[in-house]
Amino acid sequence: MTAMEDALRLESVSKTFGDQVKVAALDQVSLGLPYGTFTAVMGPSGSGKSTLLNCASGLERADSGRIVIGGQELDTSDETAATRFRRGRIGFVFQAFNLLPTLTVWQNVLLPARIAGTAVDKRRARALLERVGLADRLNHRPAELSGGQQQRVAIARAIVNRPALLFADEPTGALDSARAAEVLMLLGESVREFGQTVVMVTHDPVAAAYADRVLFLADGRIVEEMRAPQATGVAARMAAFRQSGTGTDSGGGSGATGHDAGHSAAGHGATGQHSYPAGRTDSHYTGSAA
Amino acid sequence: MRTVSLSNLRHRRAAYLASFLNLFLGGAILTGFAALYETGSAPGVSKDDRSALQTTALVIGGWGALIIAFGTAATLSLTVQQREKEIALLKAAGALPRQIRRMIMVETAILLVAAAIPAVPAGLGVGHGMLAMLKSSHQVSHGVDFKFGATTLTMGLGDIVVAALVAAVATGRRAAKQSTAASLVAAATEDAGMSRKRKIGAVVLILLGLDDAVMTATLMKNEGYDTMEIAGQACILTGIGLALLAPVLIRITAAALGPLMRRSGGYLAEAELRRHSRPAAGVLMPVILFVSLANGALYEQFIQDDANRALHTVVTADDKGVQTLSFLVTGMIALFAAVVVANIAVSSTLHRRREFGQRRLIGVTPGEVRRALSWETCAILVAGLVFGTLAALVGVIPFSYARTGDFLPDQGLGVFLAVGAGIIVLTFAACLGAARRAMRVSALAAING
Ligand SMILES: Nc1ncnc2c1ncn2[C@@H]1O[C@H](COP(=O)(O)OP(=O)(O)OP(=O)(O)O)[C@@H](O)[C@H]1O
Ligand SMILES: [Mg+2]
């Protein structure tokens, strides 16, 4: 049969950190993201969001499970092969920006194309940098930029080549709301106009509302999914998680994936608060062994 | 905030080991020469024996001391430079400049003591061995007893102690002086540039080297071993002077090789060399020194041997013995310089694991990281061979002229090629081996660790 391949599919992906104290950063996560979709990933600090992105993009090796990108299974056993597979297909906005300090803004943005040996679309690069408000900073080096400016360079770098799959780890974390809106619109356009598939981690319900759907992560599992999210609804859900203390909820569950409605107690704290930096809780748990 | 010191200590292990090894080797070699000197100055030693022992100790030990002091200081300042970020964080957290200076001082003192303890017995072994060689080639009579004492200790260890303390004071002062914000930015990016003092020092050393060269060819022309000593000094002083200019030299070389590098995948290497030249300059310094010292000392020895042969016509077993000893001694000091090259190359490459991790995360394969590094290494070697040879010629040309009337020795390029091949293999092996090790951890771990 000619089933539509997903842009990204995870099958029972698990990742545990630590030798003595085991932390199950990802616990049997399965998901499928169709082409041309915009997905937000939310969850308390330490719930495994970055690990999910790192494993899905091949930056981190999962302990078990399968990751399929555009119909091809990801093989991380050989770094060179995995890197070759990744570049050209996957863009990544890192939580810590990861710009090369000796290169200028302009050189940083053009670097992925240079590395991959593909044609450098200078016009697009310039347009993107203009779009994120850095047209007059082309010859600056990362250390001469503010955190938010660096983040915008990182975003331009990740999308300039139009990768089929774009991962963004808190891409608006260092931006004011106007800049954040601009960046989010840019990501939305990539999805609608170029059919890119975007996965974005965020703590901001307003940002999440730009996505087609939101996945909620807790203790390394997807505990809920919300389609066509609204900021207020997302905020309410997040508040509910905090109330029910998901962060300290230790394993025991079926480990199944999908939509566990058990945690959702919609209605709690639906006060329409749009950001909640103070609400982040670090979850400490010794995840399931075996 | 990260637990600064603990996590850094782990990463700095290589740099500390490098410093330790340098101090140990330098201390041992110089203790050996110092013991020869003390053996020669003991009462009851004949005038001829005394002269033979003290000349060996002072002539070769003298410029050996220069090289060892320079190598030690270079390695120690690298250790401190690699901690610039940590020091910046400490200052941001409220550490006073005085506390930082003291911290660097205390650590240097600990390293010194740790290295001196094994260096003394090792050095006595070296001295004993050299005395045995001098005896067997009949340069020193068999009745001379090996002696060592306070003089040996002060002469042997004084050099590394002074070099280490000067390096500690200088780097400590620089680290403490920078404003907190400036040092964070500097740690994140660029070269601090070369200080005025450094430039003046370099020029003065080069001028002294040239002065020695002129002396070799004129006033000191017919002074036997003294001529050779002055010619040797010409190489070493010019070499150290050029080594001090390494940041400039590496940038010039990178600019010259730029087009070639860009065309063949060395794009990142070029950016690195031109915008962040300090690590490469750190490796270049001892490379220049090694090339100038090895070429200078070896060719001068050949020229001298030829001159001796022309005088004596018959080559005796003693002549052979003298030659063996002087090659051995040159070899020891060249070995020291080679160890400095390897140490600095390894520890500065290991220190770049984070930078390599950044590149890997954005899609550069480990092989491509190594290729870019190979380009950097090429540029270092080109600069090192060119400027090191230049420094060697400053001594060799006048010495050859003084002994033979010709400007160039007729030994051919064999030794030069061997020295070049040796340093090329060593530097590549050190850089690429360390890069392989630096990339053994995953890119994410390299970024976060
Ligand atoms: N390299 C690592 N070594 C050990 N534990 C790790 C490592 N990386 C992540 N973890 C642990 O795995 C869990 C998930 O981490 P992850 O970074 O994915 O969280 P996150 O959801 O992205 O959090 P945040 O919102 O704070 O960025 C955490 O408990 C974290 O401590
Ligand atoms: Mg994260």
Side-chain angles (χ1 to χ4, degrees):
Chain A
M1 63 183 238
T2 56
M4 274 288 285
E5 276 291 355
D6 284 332
L8 171 69
R9 205 170 66 240
L10 268 62
E11 296 172 7
S12 305
V13 172
S14 295
K15 175 77 187 173
T16 305
F17 287 110
D19 300 324
Q20 274 95 44
V21 184
K22 300 239 186 278
V23 178
L26 289 181
D27 186 3
Q28 302 272 320
V29 171
S30 295
L31 62 84
L33 302 182
Y35 283 106
T37 54
F38 188 172
T39 306
V41 178
M42 299 193 77
S45 181
S47 56
K49 304 182 296 296
S50 293
T51 309
L52 177 72
L53 259 54
N54 292 341
C55 285
S57 60
L59 296 177
E60 187 104 65
R61 193 175 304 177
D63 297 336
S64 61
R66 261 163 52 91
I67 294 155
V68 184
I69 293 172
Q72 249 179 296
E73 179 161 1
L74 190 65
D75 176 12
T76 51
S77 59
D78 173 10
E79 182 178 340
T80 301
T83 304
R84 291 239 157 81
F85 178 82
R86 190 154 53 83
R87 63 193 191 192
R89 273 192 192 80
I90 299 177
F92 208 115
V93 183
F94 296 92
Q95 200 167 359
F97 318 145
N98 198 28
L99 302 175
L100 296 197
T102 50
L103 300 185
T104 62
V105 166
W106 181 241
Q107 290 169 329
N108 262 293
V109 170
L110 295 186
L111 190 61
R114 279 206 135 104
I115 294 169
T118 53
V120 178
D121 189 343
K122 290 192 179 159
R123 186 124 43 87
R124 177 168 159 77
R126 200 176 295 274
L128 270 175
L129 283 167
E130 214 154 282
R131 187 79 192 276
V132 296
L134 291 171
D136 55 342
R137 298 289 187 143
L138 300 189
N139 291 318
H140 284 70
R141 271 156 228 284
E144 298 164 329
L145 302 179
S146 73
Q149 288 167 337
Q150 290 182 48
Q151 187 156 42
R152 285 177 271 153
V153 177
I155 291 160
R157 180 181 66 183
I159 63 181
V160 67
N161 278 347
R162 301 210 177 93
L165 195 51
L166 177 70
F167 295 102
D169 200 343
E170 297 191 40
T172 58
L175 303 183
D176 62 67
S177 55
R179 287 285 178 212
E182 183 67 37
V183 162
L184 291 161
M185 260 150 30
L186 198 57
L187 294 179
E189 280 166 33
S190 318
V191 174
R192 280 185 299 279
E193 286 170 29
F194 304 110
Q196 285 170 286
T197 306
V198 176
V199 187
M200 169 183 75
V201 168
T202 182
H203 282 286
D204 180 1
V206 177
Y210 281 80
D212 310 321
R213 66 166 171 170
V214 184
L215 299 175
F216 291 94
L217 220 59
D219 294 355
R221 280 171 300 166
I222 296 174
V223 291
E224 183 161 353
E225 180 187 324
M226 189 187 269
R227 285 181 191 272
Q230 299 291 312
T232 45
V234 174
R237 214 55 123 225
M238 290 304 292
F241 284 143
R242 281 201 305 283
Q243 297 263 314
S244 65
T246 313
T248 51
D249 168 47
S250 58
S254 61
T257 60
H259 320 155
D260 177 358
H263 285 295
S264 66
H268 284 312
T271 48
Q273 64 189 122
H274 288 180
S275 60
Y276 38 86
R280 292 199 192 182
T281 52
D282 256 304
S283 46
H284 309 279
Y285 42 84
T286 51
S288 53
Chain B
M1 198 177 83
R2 279 276 161 67
T3 49
V4 184
S5 11
L6 272 185
S7 80
N8 278 355
L9 194 67
R10 188 158 43 89
H11 287 164
R12 287 201 314 267
R13 211 171 38 193
Y16 274 121
L17 203 65
S19 301
F20 170 82
L21 205 60
N22 276 344
L23 289 170
F24 165 72
L25 263 182
I29 292 172
L30 293 178
T31 301
F33 285 114
L36 279 193
Y37 185 87
E38 189 159 14
T39 299
S41 39
V45 174
S46 76
K47 201 160 168 268
D48 286 350
D49 286 345
R50 171 165 309 167
S51 155
L53 286 164
Q54 295 191 340
T55 304
T56 307
L58 290 181
V59 169
I60 308 172
W63 52 259
L66 267 178
I67 287 173
I68 287 168
F70 184 78
T72 303
T75 313
L76 278 174
S77 5
L78 178 75
T79 316
V80 178
Q81 271 172 26
Q82 292 191 343
R83 302 172 56 191
E84 218 164 56
K85 188 159 187 185
E86 178 206 337
I87 290 171
L89 284 171
L90 283 175
K91 281 163 73 179
L96 299 172
R98 183 163 43 88
Q99 289 171 310
I100 300 211
R101 281 198 305 268
R102 195 192 307 146
M103 178 182 80
I104 292 170
M105 215 39 154
V106 166
E107 286 178 2
T108 306
I110 292 174
L111 261 176
L112 264 176
V113 171
I117 290 172
V120 169
L124 294 179
V126 169
H128 200 268
M130 286 194 291
L131 180 64
M133 285 189 75
L134 286 167
K135 282 181 186 169
S136 72
S137 59
H138 300 100
Q139 289 173 277
V140 173
S141 54
H142 277 277
V144 174
D145 287 329
F146 186 58
K147 285 261 169 46
F148 58 88
T151 312
T152 303
L153 285 185
T154 32
M155 274 178 73
L157 300 178
D159 187 59
I160 56 165
V161 169
V162 170
L165 293 184
V166 166
V169 168
T171 43
R173 188 180 299 166
R174 216 185 68 181
K177 205 166 61 184
Q178 240 172 8
S179 79
T180 306
S183 51
L184 275 171
V185 171
T189 49
E190 305 277 311
D191 308 290
M194 284 183 13
S195 70
R196 234 180 112 79
K197 259 184 241 158
R198 181 166 175 170
K199 284 182 207 152
I200 293 173
V203 170
V204 167
L205 283 168
I206 292 171
L207 288 177
L208 284 176
L210 290 173
D211 181 48
D212 281 345
V214 172
M215 295 272 283
T216 306
T218 56
L219 282 179
M220 300 289 292
K221 195 172 167 188
N222 297 311
E223 302 286 329
Y225 276 103
D226 286 347
T227 316
M228 194 171 158
E229 190 204 339
I230 300 278
Q233 242 178 50
C235 298
I236 305 305
L237 291 176
T238 315
I240 295 179
L242 286 173
L244 282 175
L245 294 177
V248 177
L249 303 183
I250 193 69
R251 263 175 290 201
I252 293 173
T253 313
L257 296 178
L260 189 68
M261 282 159 88
R262 274 194 299 269
R263 230 177 304 135
S264 32
Y267 170 72
L268 285 174
E270 194 207 356
E272 192 66 24
L273 287 174
R274 297 180 82 162
R275 305 295 318 188
H276 189 212
S277 57
R278 210 165 57 184
V283 183
L284 175 57
M285 286 200 291
V287 172
I288 291 180
L289 212 60
F290 175 86
V291 172
S292 67
L293 148 78
N295 280 322
L298 290 174
Y299 276 104
E300 279 161 20
Q301 185 65 43
F302 286 134
I303 294 166
Q304 181 70 28
D305 289 346
D306 279 0
N308 285 350
R309 217 162 309 163
L311 281 179
H312 301 302
T313 55
V314 183
V315 181
T316 62
D318 287 358
D319 283 342
K320 278 261 169 260
V322 173
Q323 197 184 16
T324 313
L325 180 65
S326 59
F327 280 137
L328 205 83
V329 166
T330 306
M332 257 186 333
I333 295 169
L335 175 77
F336 174 84
V339 167
V340 176
V341 172
N343 271 341
I344 292 187
V346 166
S347 86
S348 84
T349 306
L350 283 180
H351 191 66
R352 292 171 68 180
R353 84 182 69 210
R354 194 186 139 80
E355 178 199 326
F356 294 158
Q358 285 190 303
R359 295 183 189 185
R360 288 154 76 198
L361 282 184
I362 55 178
V364 182
T365 65
E368 288 162 345
V369 170
R370 284 197 297 271
R371 198 174 319 150
L373 184 67
S374 299
W375 270 113
E376 286 183 43
T377 311
C378 271
I380 290 170
L381 285 167
V382 167
L385 286 168
V386 167
F387 294 105
T389 305
L390 216 62
L393 288 175
V394 167
V396 170
I397 289 177
F399 188 61
S400 176
Y401 176 73
R403 284 286 177 270
T404 66
D406 292 331
F407 285 112
L408 283 176
D410 51 6
Q411 262 70 33
L413 288 175
V415 170
F416 174 75
L417 292 178
V419 167
I423 194 69
I424 288 171
V425 169
L426 175 74
T427 313
F428 264 106
C431 286
L432 295 184
R436 205 172 275 277
R437 225 187 95 191
M439 289 191 284
R440 236 176 4 212
V441 290
S442 79
L444 280 173
I447 289 284
N448 296 323

